[in-house]
Amino acid sequence: MKGKPSGEAFDCTDFKTKTELAVDLLTWARQRGFGPTAVLFDAFYLSGTVVQILRKADRPWLGRIKGNRNLKRNRKKFKPQDWPRLAWPSKVRRKTRAPRLSRSAAAAPHGWGPVSVIAVRHHRDAELRCPVGSNTAWARGRIEARYGHRLKSETGFRRTSSLLGLHDCQCRSSRAQENHVALVSSAYQFPTRQCHRDESTGEVPKRLNAHAVVNAPAGHSEGSSGREGAKSETWGWGRREDFRQRCVTLEQDIRYCAKHIS
Amino acid sequence: MIDDATLEKVGEKPEGIAWLHSSTLGKEVLALNPVVPGWTDGEVYIPVSFWF
């Protein structure tokens, strides 16, 4: 980040780092009765503060450990970035040998409690990635599968940008920006709920548009108008009755989501 | 699930804007950076709230 951060945020409240915001959000979610199966976050948020909050709330968590952290296992210390070298049995003494890469390793980083660590290297990754889970009973496959859900949030941000224009607000005030993000987040529930099992969220508007064009009344078609020379009228969401019906469906979808979240 | 988004903006006038490193572009950009908690069941992702 360029420049020195000021002591106050733009809305004259105390400046908070991303980790402090994450802690506040976890406290907020706990106060409102959210009961997730596990809390998942990136390597940036894997800090002692966040882990202590989750341990106090008795919530299991998953994250990714950075390569330079010290892991302790059976009085042996090793770093995840040294894992491939130390796991090579023929070149390393038995005392300093790390657990095999193909299995999960139980470790106890300072202040985190017992955790289960695995090492994953995909074809495109230059370095080893080490997802970590708070439950030592979790096997490699379970940690890998659950940590893979993190891509859902990245996909969600990308879809909200491409479909709904998350980046497109040009207002300067923070309140307008917050309202824009809130509206986009609410509107994102519609394609999320409407998408079929075998299609992505981005394909939903295309399918609904095609459906609307097929069911359009006579005289209306995509890009055509009844008047000669007038600006072409697009036929995106079908008849007004269809639009009303879709609004009712959207309201039901939002209620369904709210019910399942709580 | 807790994650943050980088909302890239043009110009320094919007409130709360800062220079952030974008891992997608591999460089520093002027952007807003909301922290977003979300809920997922493995198939759908629902952003629950956001804080700037």
Side-chain angles (χ1 to χ4, degrees):
Chain A
M1 183 181 289
K2 288 180 182 176
K4 188 180 177 182
S6 65
E8 287 184 345
F10 54 89
D11 52 356
C12 297
T13 55
D14 291 337
F15 177 79
K16 288 185 177 177
T17 60
K18 282 200 292 185
T19 313
E20 288 169 346
L21 284 175
V23 168
D24 287 352
L25 280 166
L26 286 171
T27 314
W28 171 85
R30 189 186 172 192
Q31 285 171 351
R32 275 153 185 79
F34 281 84
T37 315
V39 181
L40 177 61
F41 41 82
D42 196 6
F44 184 88
Y45 297 101
L46 188 54
S47 65
T49 325
V50 175
V51 170
Q52 279 175 10
I53 288 281
L54 292 170
R55 285 185 74 187
K56 197 181 286 184
D58 199 19
R59 290 282 169 218
W61 52 268
L62 283 120
R64 185 168 67 84
I65 199 168
K66 290 176 181 171
N68 58 356
R69 301 294 174 98
N70 280 319
L71 292 179
K72 197 173 182 182
R73 184 176 185 265
N74 299 335
R75 297 179 182 178
K76 287 181 283 188
K77 278 186 180 178
F78 68 99
K79 293 180 178 177
Q81 62 192 12
D82 298 332
W83 200 333
R85 185 173 58 83
L86 295 177
W88 195 254
S90 61
K91 295 182 181 178
V92 181
R93 289 184 301 172
R94 187 176 291 273
K95 286 183 180 178
T96 55
R97 194 176 296 171
R100 283 165 55 187
L101 268 174
S102 57
R103 293 188 176 183
S104 63
H110 181 69
W112 291 8
V115 294
S116 184
V117 189
I118 63 168
V120 182
R121 177 179 278 161
H122 293 293
H123 296 296
R124 293 178 183 175
D125 293 341
E127 60 182 19
L128 210 64
R129 290 176 180 266
C130 298
V132 54
S134 65
N135 193 341
T136 49
W138 286 343
R140 180 187 177 85
R142 178 172 285 195
I143 294 175
E144 202 171 352
R146 286 192 170 175
Y147 189 75
H149 293 334
R150 212 185 69 77
L151 283 177
K152 288 287 174 188
S153 70
E154 305 292 344
T155 314
F157 293 143
R158 201 166 61 237
R159 296 274 184 237
T160 46
S161 298
S162 59
L163 287 177
L164 302 163
L166 183 65
H167 293 69
D168 295 345
C169 181
Q170 296 183 5
C171 296
R172 290 181 177 180
S173 71
S174 60
R175 180 151 190 165
Q177 294 283 351
E178 285 182 6
N179 289 342
H180 177 73
V181 176
L183 286 170
V184 166
S185 302
S186 303
Y188 181 63
Q189 309 313 317
F190 180 65
T192 302
R193 185 73 183 95
Q194 291 286 332
C195 73
H196 292 161
R197 188 175 290 272
D198 55 344
E199 72 177 354
S200 68
T201 321
E203 293 166 357
V204 173
K206 197 174 175 182
R207 175 168 57 81
L208 291 178
N209 273 329
H211 177 74
V213 168
V214 168
N215 293 336
H220 284 84
S221 61
E222 183 83 35
S224 71
S225 172
R227 287 174 294 175
E228 287 283 334
K231 190 178 179 182
S232 63
E233 181 187 347
T234 55
W235 185 258
W237 292 98
R239 291 172 298 179
R240 184 174 292 178
E241 292 79 17
D242 288 348
F243 183 74
R244 280 184 187 158
Q245 183 58 41
R246 287 202 172 106
C247 287
V248 171
T249 316
L250 175 61
E251 190 183 350
Q252 289 171 352
D253 291 343
I254 291 172
R255 284 182 184 169
Y256 172 85
C257 296
K259 183 182 171 186
H260 277 70
I261 288 167
S262 61
Chain B
M1 186 188 307
I2 294 176
D3 206 350
D4 56 284
T6 307
L7 306 183
E8 195 177 342
K9 300 290 174 189
V10 179
E12 297 181 351
K13 296 289 185 183
E15 290 175 345
I17 208 161
W19 284 98
L20 300 165
H21 179 77
S22 170
S23 55
T24 312
L25 300 172
K27 62 179 183 180
E28 289 189 342
V29 293
L30 273 172
L32 294 170
N33 197 209
V35 180
V36 185
W39 176 89
T40 182
D41 62 349
E43 291 185 4
V44 297
Y45 171 74
I46 298 171
V48 177
S49 176
F50 64 91
W51 281 8
F52 282 102

